[in-house]
Short mmCIF file of all heavy atoms in Angstrom, two decimals:
data_model
loop_
_atom_site.label_atom_id
_atom_site.label_comp_id
_atom_site.label_asym_id
_atom_site.label_seq_id
_atom_site.Cartn_x
_atom_site.Cartn_y
_atom_site.Cartn_z
N GLY A 261 4.88 -13.72 -13.68
CA GLY A 261 3.76 -14.38 -13.29
C GLY A 261 3.56 -15.74 -14.01
O GLY A 261 4.30 -16.08 -14.87
N PRO A 262 2.49 -16.46 -13.68
CA PRO A 262 2.23 -17.74 -14.31
C PRO A 262 1.69 -17.53 -15.71
O PRO A 262 1.22 -16.53 -16.16
CB PRO A 262 1.19 -18.40 -13.37
CG PRO A 262 0.46 -17.27 -12.81
CD PRO A 262 1.47 -16.13 -12.67
N CYS A 263 1.73 -18.67 -16.46
CA CYS A 263 1.22 -18.60 -17.85
C CYS A 263 -0.18 -18.29 -17.95
O CYS A 263 -0.68 -17.54 -18.81
CB CYS A 263 1.47 -19.95 -18.56
SG CYS A 263 1.04 -20.01 -20.34
N VAL A 264 -1.06 -18.86 -17.00
CA VAL A 264 -2.47 -18.57 -16.99
C VAL A 264 -2.76 -17.79 -15.67
O VAL A 264 -2.64 -18.37 -14.58
CB VAL A 264 -3.35 -19.85 -16.97
CG1 VAL A 264 -4.82 -19.56 -16.90
CG2 VAL A 264 -3.02 -20.64 -18.27
N ALA A 265 -3.07 -16.51 -15.79
CA ALA A 265 -3.19 -15.72 -14.63
C ALA A 265 -4.49 -15.90 -13.83
O ALA A 265 -4.66 -15.65 -12.67
CB ALA A 265 -3.06 -14.26 -15.00
N CYS A 266 -5.58 -16.36 -14.53
CA CYS A 266 -6.85 -16.56 -13.92
C CYS A 266 -6.98 -18.08 -13.61
O CYS A 266 -7.56 -18.81 -14.40
CB CYS A 266 -8.00 -16.10 -14.82
SG CYS A 266 -7.99 -14.31 -15.02
N THR A 267 -6.55 -18.44 -12.42
CA THR A 267 -6.67 -19.80 -11.95
C THR A 267 -7.76 -19.87 -10.89
O THR A 267 -7.78 -19.09 -9.96
CB THR A 267 -5.34 -20.36 -11.37
OG1 THR A 267 -4.34 -20.26 -12.39
CG2 THR A 267 -5.45 -21.81 -10.99
N CYS A 268 -8.64 -20.87 -11.00
CA CYS A 268 -9.73 -20.97 -10.01
C CYS A 268 -9.32 -21.71 -8.74
O CYS A 268 -8.57 -22.67 -8.85
CB CYS A 268 -10.98 -21.65 -10.71
SG CYS A 268 -11.67 -20.70 -12.03
N CYS A 269 -9.91 -21.31 -7.63
CA CYS A 269 -9.85 -21.97 -6.35
C CYS A 269 -8.42 -22.16 -5.84
O CYS A 269 -8.09 -23.00 -5.05
CB CYS A 269 -10.43 -23.42 -6.55
SG CYS A 269 -12.08 -23.43 -7.05
N SER A 270 -7.54 -21.24 -6.21
CA SER A 270 -6.17 -21.26 -5.63
C SER A 270 -5.50 -19.91 -5.74
O SER A 270 -6.03 -19.02 -6.53
CB SER A 270 -5.29 -22.23 -6.39
OG SER A 270 -5.16 -21.86 -7.71
N ASP A 271 -4.52 -19.63 -4.97
CA ASP A 271 -3.75 -18.41 -4.97
C ASP A 271 -2.88 -18.34 -6.27
O ASP A 271 -2.51 -19.42 -6.84
CB ASP A 271 -2.89 -18.27 -3.77
CG ASP A 271 -3.70 -18.05 -2.53
OD1 ASP A 271 -4.89 -17.75 -2.64
OD2 ASP A 271 -3.10 -18.17 -1.43
N ILE A 272 -2.66 -17.22 -6.71
CA ILE A 272 -1.80 -16.96 -7.94
C ILE A 272 -0.57 -16.11 -7.56
O ILE A 272 -0.70 -15.01 -7.07
CB ILE A 272 -2.50 -16.29 -9.07
CG1 ILE A 272 -3.81 -17.05 -9.38
CG2 ILE A 272 -1.71 -16.22 -10.32
CD1 ILE A 272 -4.77 -16.32 -10.26
N ASP A 273 0.63 -16.70 -7.76
CA ASP A 273 1.88 -16.00 -7.35
C ASP A 273 2.55 -15.32 -8.51
O ASP A 273 2.70 -15.91 -9.63
CB ASP A 273 2.84 -17.03 -6.70
CG ASP A 273 2.36 -17.50 -5.38
OD1 ASP A 273 1.61 -16.80 -4.70
OD2 ASP A 273 2.77 -18.59 -4.92
N PHE A 274 2.89 -14.12 -8.36
CA PHE A 274 3.74 -13.40 -9.33
C PHE A 274 5.05 -13.19 -8.56
O PHE A 274 5.15 -12.44 -7.53
CB PHE A 274 3.14 -12.04 -9.63
CG PHE A 274 1.91 -12.11 -10.50
CD1 PHE A 274 0.71 -12.41 -9.90
CD2 PHE A 274 1.96 -11.88 -11.83
CE1 PHE A 274 -0.44 -12.58 -10.65
CE2 PHE A 274 0.80 -11.98 -12.62
CZ PHE A 274 -0.46 -12.33 -11.99
N GLU A 275 6.14 -13.86 -8.99
CA GLU A 275 7.42 -13.86 -8.27
C GLU A 275 8.22 -12.64 -8.59
O GLU A 275 8.33 -12.19 -9.67
CB GLU A 275 8.18 -15.11 -8.56
CG GLU A 275 7.47 -16.44 -8.16
CD GLU A 275 8.35 -17.65 -8.55
OE1 GLU A 275 9.34 -17.45 -9.22
OE2 GLU A 275 7.99 -18.76 -7.96
N ILE A 276 8.78 -12.07 -7.46
CA ILE A 276 9.72 -10.93 -7.55
C ILE A 276 11.14 -11.52 -7.68
O ILE A 276 11.53 -12.25 -6.80
CB ILE A 276 9.62 -10.01 -6.37
CG1 ILE A 276 8.15 -9.51 -6.22
CG2 ILE A 276 10.54 -8.78 -6.59
CD1 ILE A 276 7.90 -8.74 -4.94
N LYS A 277 11.81 -11.24 -8.77
CA LYS A 277 13.11 -11.85 -8.98
C LYS A 277 14.19 -10.82 -9.32
O LYS A 277 13.91 -9.63 -9.56
CB LYS A 277 12.99 -12.81 -10.13
CG LYS A 277 12.07 -14.03 -9.91
CD LYS A 277 12.12 -15.02 -11.05
CE LYS A 277 11.30 -16.30 -10.74
NZ LYS A 277 11.38 -17.29 -11.83
N SER A 278 15.40 -11.29 -9.35
CA SER A 278 16.54 -10.42 -9.76
C SER A 278 16.44 -10.23 -11.24
O SER A 278 15.64 -10.87 -11.94
CB SER A 278 17.86 -11.12 -9.43
OG SER A 278 17.89 -12.48 -9.94
N LEU A 279 17.25 -9.35 -11.81
CA LEU A 279 17.13 -9.01 -13.18
C LEU A 279 17.48 -10.18 -14.06
O LEU A 279 16.93 -10.33 -15.19
CB LEU A 279 18.12 -7.84 -13.54
CG LEU A 279 17.73 -6.51 -13.03
CD1 LEU A 279 18.75 -5.37 -13.43
CD2 LEU A 279 16.35 -6.05 -13.62
N ASP A 280 18.30 -11.07 -13.64
CA ASP A 280 18.56 -12.27 -14.43
C ASP A 280 17.63 -13.36 -14.28
O ASP A 280 17.66 -14.48 -14.85
CB ASP A 280 20.00 -12.85 -14.14
CG ASP A 280 20.15 -13.19 -12.66
OD1 ASP A 280 19.20 -13.19 -11.93
OD2 ASP A 280 21.32 -13.43 -12.29
N GLU A 281 16.49 -13.11 -13.41
CA GLU A 281 15.35 -14.01 -13.15
C GLU A 281 15.88 -15.33 -12.52
O GLU A 281 15.14 -16.34 -12.72
CB GLU A 281 14.61 -14.26 -14.44
CG GLU A 281 13.96 -13.01 -15.05
CD GLU A 281 13.04 -13.32 -16.20
OE1 GLU A 281 12.67 -14.42 -16.38
OE2 GLU A 281 12.82 -12.35 -16.98
N VAL A 282 16.95 -15.34 -11.88
CA VAL A 282 17.49 -16.55 -11.18
C VAL A 282 17.15 -16.57 -9.73
O VAL A 282 16.69 -17.59 -9.24
CB VAL A 282 19.01 -16.70 -11.43
CG1 VAL A 282 19.58 -17.85 -10.59
CG2 VAL A 282 19.38 -16.81 -12.94
N THR A 283 17.31 -15.46 -9.04
CA THR A 283 17.08 -15.41 -7.62
C THR A 283 15.74 -14.84 -7.32
O THR A 283 15.33 -13.75 -7.82
CB THR A 283 18.15 -14.50 -6.95
OG1 THR A 283 19.45 -15.03 -7.32
CG2 THR A 283 17.97 -14.45 -5.46
N ARG A 284 15.02 -15.60 -6.50
CA ARG A 284 13.69 -15.10 -6.16
C ARG A 284 13.80 -14.37 -4.76
O ARG A 284 14.32 -14.94 -3.85
CB ARG A 284 12.73 -16.29 -5.99
CG ARG A 284 11.34 -15.87 -5.28
CD ARG A 284 10.43 -17.09 -5.19
NE ARG A 284 9.35 -16.82 -4.31
CZ ARG A 284 8.33 -17.65 -4.00
NH1 ARG A 284 8.29 -18.83 -4.59
NH2 ARG A 284 7.47 -17.32 -3.14
N ILE A 285 13.33 -13.15 -4.69
CA ILE A 285 13.44 -12.40 -3.43
C ILE A 285 12.15 -12.09 -2.75
O ILE A 285 12.03 -11.57 -1.69
CB ILE A 285 14.20 -11.11 -3.73
CG1 ILE A 285 13.39 -10.16 -4.58
CG2 ILE A 285 15.57 -11.35 -4.33
CD1 ILE A 285 13.97 -8.75 -4.69
N GLY A 286 11.01 -12.37 -3.41
CA GLY A 286 9.66 -12.07 -2.84
C GLY A 286 8.62 -12.54 -3.82
O GLY A 286 8.83 -13.15 -4.81
N LYS A 287 7.34 -12.13 -3.54
CA LYS A 287 6.25 -12.43 -4.41
C LYS A 287 5.13 -11.56 -4.09
O LYS A 287 4.92 -10.94 -3.04
CB LYS A 287 5.86 -13.88 -4.23
CG LYS A 287 5.28 -14.18 -2.86
CD LYS A 287 4.92 -15.72 -2.79
CE LYS A 287 4.33 -16.08 -1.38
NZ LYS A 287 3.96 -17.46 -1.33
N ILE A 288 4.28 -11.36 -5.20
CA ILE A 288 2.97 -10.76 -5.12
C ILE A 288 1.93 -11.79 -5.34
O ILE A 288 1.96 -12.43 -6.37
CB ILE A 288 2.85 -9.60 -6.15
CG1 ILE A 288 3.92 -8.52 -5.96
CG2 ILE A 288 1.45 -8.98 -6.10
CD1 ILE A 288 4.00 -7.47 -7.02
N THR A 289 1.04 -11.99 -4.35
CA THR A 289 0.09 -13.08 -4.44
C THR A 289 -1.37 -12.55 -4.57
O THR A 289 -1.85 -11.75 -3.75
CB THR A 289 0.21 -13.96 -3.27
OG1 THR A 289 1.51 -14.49 -3.09
CG2 THR A 289 -0.79 -15.18 -3.31
N LYS A 290 -2.05 -12.99 -5.67
CA LYS A 290 -3.45 -12.75 -5.72
C LYS A 290 -4.17 -13.93 -4.96
O LYS A 290 -4.10 -15.10 -5.31
CB LYS A 290 -3.94 -12.81 -7.20
CG LYS A 290 -5.41 -13.00 -7.40
CD LYS A 290 -6.24 -11.85 -6.88
CE LYS A 290 -7.68 -11.98 -7.32
NZ LYS A 290 -8.38 -13.15 -6.71
N GLN A 291 -4.89 -13.53 -3.83
CA GLN A 291 -5.37 -14.51 -2.94
C GLN A 291 -6.79 -14.86 -3.35
O GLN A 291 -7.59 -14.01 -3.73
CB GLN A 291 -5.36 -13.96 -1.48
CG GLN A 291 -3.99 -13.57 -0.95
CD GLN A 291 -4.00 -12.87 0.34
OE1 GLN A 291 -5.06 -12.32 0.71
NE2 GLN A 291 -2.80 -12.87 0.96
N TRP A 292 -7.06 -16.19 -3.32
CA TRP A 292 -8.44 -16.68 -3.65
C TRP A 292 -9.40 -16.21 -2.59
O TRP A 292 -9.22 -16.47 -1.38
CB TRP A 292 -8.39 -18.24 -3.76
CG TRP A 292 -9.75 -18.83 -3.87
CD1 TRP A 292 -10.44 -19.58 -2.95
CD2 TRP A 292 -10.56 -18.82 -5.13
NE1 TRP A 292 -11.60 -19.91 -3.51
CE2 TRP A 292 -11.73 -19.53 -4.81
CE3 TRP A 292 -10.32 -18.25 -6.39
CZ2 TRP A 292 -12.75 -19.72 -5.76
CZ3 TRP A 292 -11.39 -18.48 -7.27
CH2 TRP A 292 -12.52 -19.17 -7.03
#
Side-chain angles (χ1 to χ4, degrees):
C263 182
V264 180
C266 291
T267 304
C268 296
C269 303
S270 64
D271 294 346
I272 305 171
D273 290 337
F274 292 77
E275 297 184 346
I276 305 172
K277 296 185 175 183
S278 57
L279 285 179
D280 57 10
E281 300 185 18
V282 174
T283 305
R284 171 181 164 177
I285 67 169
K287 64 180 180 178
I288 300 172
T289 302
K290 164 63 172 66
Q291 299 172 344
W292 174 253

